[in-house]
Every structure is written in C-alpha cells, then in structure tokens.
Amino acid sequence: MSKQKAEKRVFHNNDECPVRNVVAQIGDKWSVLILFALVEGPDRFNSIKSRVVGVSQRMLTQTLRGLEREGYVNRTVYPEVPVRVEYELTGMGRGLVKPLYQLVSWAETHHDEIKRSRQAYDERG
Amino acid sequence: MSKQKAEKRVFHNNDECPVRNVVAQIGDKWSVLILFALVEGPDRFNSIKSRVVGVSQRMLTQTLRGLEREGYVNRTVYPEVPVRVEYELTGMGRGLVKPLYQLVSWAETHHDEIKRSRQAYDERG
DNA sequence: CGGTATCCCGGGCGATACTG
DNA sequence: CAGTATCGCCCGGGATACCG
C-alpha cells in the first residue's frame, strides 16, 4: 500500500476551505467583539457602537453586514420614529460563539505566558 | 444596588484585551493553516511552504516569526550542509490548537448552512 | 437614529532579486 | 535550503460629509 509513513496533509486557503472560511470572517478587527457583545441579547446599532470601543460607524455597518450574510446575525428594522434597528444572534451565531468562548477562555488563561514569551523573544533580539 | 438590569459589557480592542490578542495573532490569512500543518509533527521550512498552498516565502517567514514570538512554535537550526531548520509546536502551541479544532470542526459542520446563507443574502440584494 | 458616499493614507502582502 | 531586502500595488479602515 503506497508508502509506510502517512503523507502529511496539504492545506489550502480558498473559499472551499472551511478553516479559511471561518477565520476570514471572524479574523478581522471587530467581528468577535461584536459577536460577544450580542451574546448578552439583542442590541441597537448605536448601543453596540458605544460598547465596542473604537469601532467606527463605517466598520460597524460593514462588519454587521458580513455577519448577517454568513447567517450569524439577524437585522430587524422597527419602523418607528426615529427608526430603531436591532441586531441579534441567530441560532447559528449562538452556536459559533461557543467554540469562540473556548478559544478566548484559553487565551485568557495563557495571556501572561504569552506576554512573557513575547518579552523574552524581543529581548534576545 | 444601582440598577435592576445588569449593565451590558463593554469590549475594548487593544493589547490588554485577550480576545483581541488571540484574534490578532491567529486571525490573519496563514497562522491557523500553519499551526494545523505543524500538528502532524515537526516540519521544515520548504515542506511547510509546499503544504500550505499559496503562502509566499515572505509571509511564511513572517508568520512563523510571529508564532514563535507568541510562544506557539519552536525554531531549531541544524547546522548541516545545506542547513536544515525545523519548526514544531510548543506545549502552548498544542494547547492552542485544541480550541482551534473545536472552532474548525464547528465550521466544517456548518459550512453548507453558511454557504446557503450567503447565497440567500446575495440573492435578495 | 442608522445608515451611505467619498476621500485618502498607511500598511499588508505578493513579486522579485540577492545572500550565507 | 532558508532565509533577508526592496519595491510597489492594493485595500482595509479612519475621518468626514451627507441622507431618509
């Protein structure tokens, strides 16, 4: 049967790669923070904007549109005056957040170790 | 005690935020693919390069340096002729990969659903 | 209030050439 | 083989102005 040692996997970086797909969507500056903000319940545009510190109007709109397109977020317009728009996680969005929490929890646990590693790396040039 | 309803969390995007820290390092185009390639064992520069399809020499070097700085990857030089350089996951790197697998596993499970959501979104304009 | 539209700069990143 | 060095393009994303 061919070789004795298993061939090592090859990794592609395109639209058909689920790895790349998810990282491409949530790997930007704001997506994860916005998803986490919405975990606490539906929220309005300007409220999200004030809670996700530093996000510009342009990037908030753009990121929410992306998350909506992937199916992680629902957008609901209430035609009041003035208009009210609420964003909330979909079922799939809540599903995504779980492994994200695992990741972030890991990151928090190892935050100090990472900082020390950086410092050591920088010191030895 | 202050308000009845809990205040919603505020999310920052800076170096002190573990959320941002981890996403900033692994959210780029190549880090996750390279980490996954190294799960299968130590590997040499050009071998990684051929397995992570599309990565340029420049970006592979740069990404590996970043992963090494965070403490996820070890770099070992064997002064043979020609020189051989091996990269391998550290203990922390192997630790990081676990929640990443959870995330990617989730992504693979929902890949079709996401694709359908995109299509629906694009069709309704 | 919740967006678009436009301008513009810095940097991410690919291509290419060179090196120990 | 495993990198650095340099150039240049593209575009992410901030700032600002305007709109339903």
Side-chain angles (χ1 to χ4, degrees):
Chain A
M1 304 285 285
S2 62
K3 306 261 182 63
Q4 290 176 336
K5 305 192 73 169
E7 295 294 332
K8 290 189 169 175
R9 279 189 63 190
V10 173
F11 296 86
H12 294 264
N13 181 29
N14 58 40
D15 289 355
E16 286 312 307
C17 171
V19 182
R20 184 58 201 147
N21 260 314
V22 67
V23 176
Q25 177 53 45
I26 65 160
D28 66 284
K29 256 171 119 173
W30 303 111
S31 287
V32 172
L33 295 172
I34 291 170
L35 287 171
F36 279 25
L38 292 178
V39 167
E40 297 171 44
D43 204 357
R44 306 177 58 173
F45 186 88
N46 277 326
S47 173
I48 301 172
K49 184 170 186 310
S50 65
R51 294 171 60 214
V52 179
V53 179
V55 68
S56 67
Q57 200 166 35
R58 181 181 187 278
M59 287 315 295
L60 181 55
T61 303
Q62 188 171 307
T63 307
L64 284 168
R65 294 291 178 276
L67 296 174
E68 191 191 357
R69 180 171 185 267
E70 302 289 292
Y72 301 145
V73 163
N74 265 335
R75 175 177 184 271
T76 310
V77 181
Y78 298 93
E80 310 165 351
V81 252
V83 66
R84 194 185 58 176
V85 181
E86 279 199 350
Y87 294 89
E88 63 180 341
L89 292 184
T90 62
M92 193 159 66
R94 284 190 296 277
L96 169 61
V97 161
K98 290 174 190 170
L100 278 183
Y101 267 136
Q102 297 302 109
L103 181 62
V104 168
S105 167
W106 183 93
E108 285 171 342
T109 305
H110 295 80
H111 192 203
D112 287 344
E113 191 174 353
I114 292 170
K115 278 171 46 174
R116 272 183 273 116
S117 175
R118 284 183 192 160
Q119 197 171 353
Y121 183 96
D122 293 344
E123 280 171 3
R124 58 173 197 271
Chain B
M1 305 288 283
S2 63
K3 307 263 180 64
Q4 291 176 334
K5 306 192 70 170
E7 296 294 333
K8 289 188 170 177
R9 279 188 63 190
V10 173
F11 296 86
H12 294 263
N13 182 28
N14 58 41
D15 289 354
E16 286 311 308
C17 171
V19 182
R20 184 60 201 148
N21 260 313
V22 66
V23 176
Q25 178 52 46
I26 66 160
D28 66 284
K29 258 172 119 173
W30 303 111
S31 288
V32 172
L33 294 173
I34 291 170
L35 287 171
F36 279 27
L38 291 178
V39 167
E40 297 171 44
D43 204 359
R44 307 177 57 171
F45 186 87
N46 278 326
S47 173
I48 301 172
K49 185 171 185 308
S50 65
R51 294 171 60 212
V52 178
V53 179
V55 69
S56 67
Q57 199 166 36
R58 182 180 186 279
M59 286 314 297
L60 181 56
T61 302
Q62 189 170 307
T63 307
L64 284 168
R65 293 291 179 276
L67 296 173
E68 190 190 357
R69 179 172 186 265
E70 302 289 291
Y72 301 145
V73 164
N74 266 335
R75 176 178 185 269
T76 311
V77 181
Y78 298 94
E80 312 164 351
V81 250
V83 66
R84 193 183 55 167
V85 179
E86 279 199 350
Y87 294 89
E88 64 181 340
L89 292 184
T90 62
M92 193 159 65
R94 284 191 295 276
L96 170 60
V97 162
K98 290 174 189 171
L100 277 183
Y101 266 136
Q102 296 302 110
L103 181 62
V104 168
S105 167
W106 183 93
E108 285 172 342
T109 305
H110 295 80
H111 193 203
D112 287 346
E113 192 175 353
I114 292 170
K115 277 169 52 171
R116 272 183 272 116
S117 174
R118 284 182 192 160
Q119 198 171 352
Y121 184 95
D122 294 344
E123 280 170 3
R124 59 173 195 270

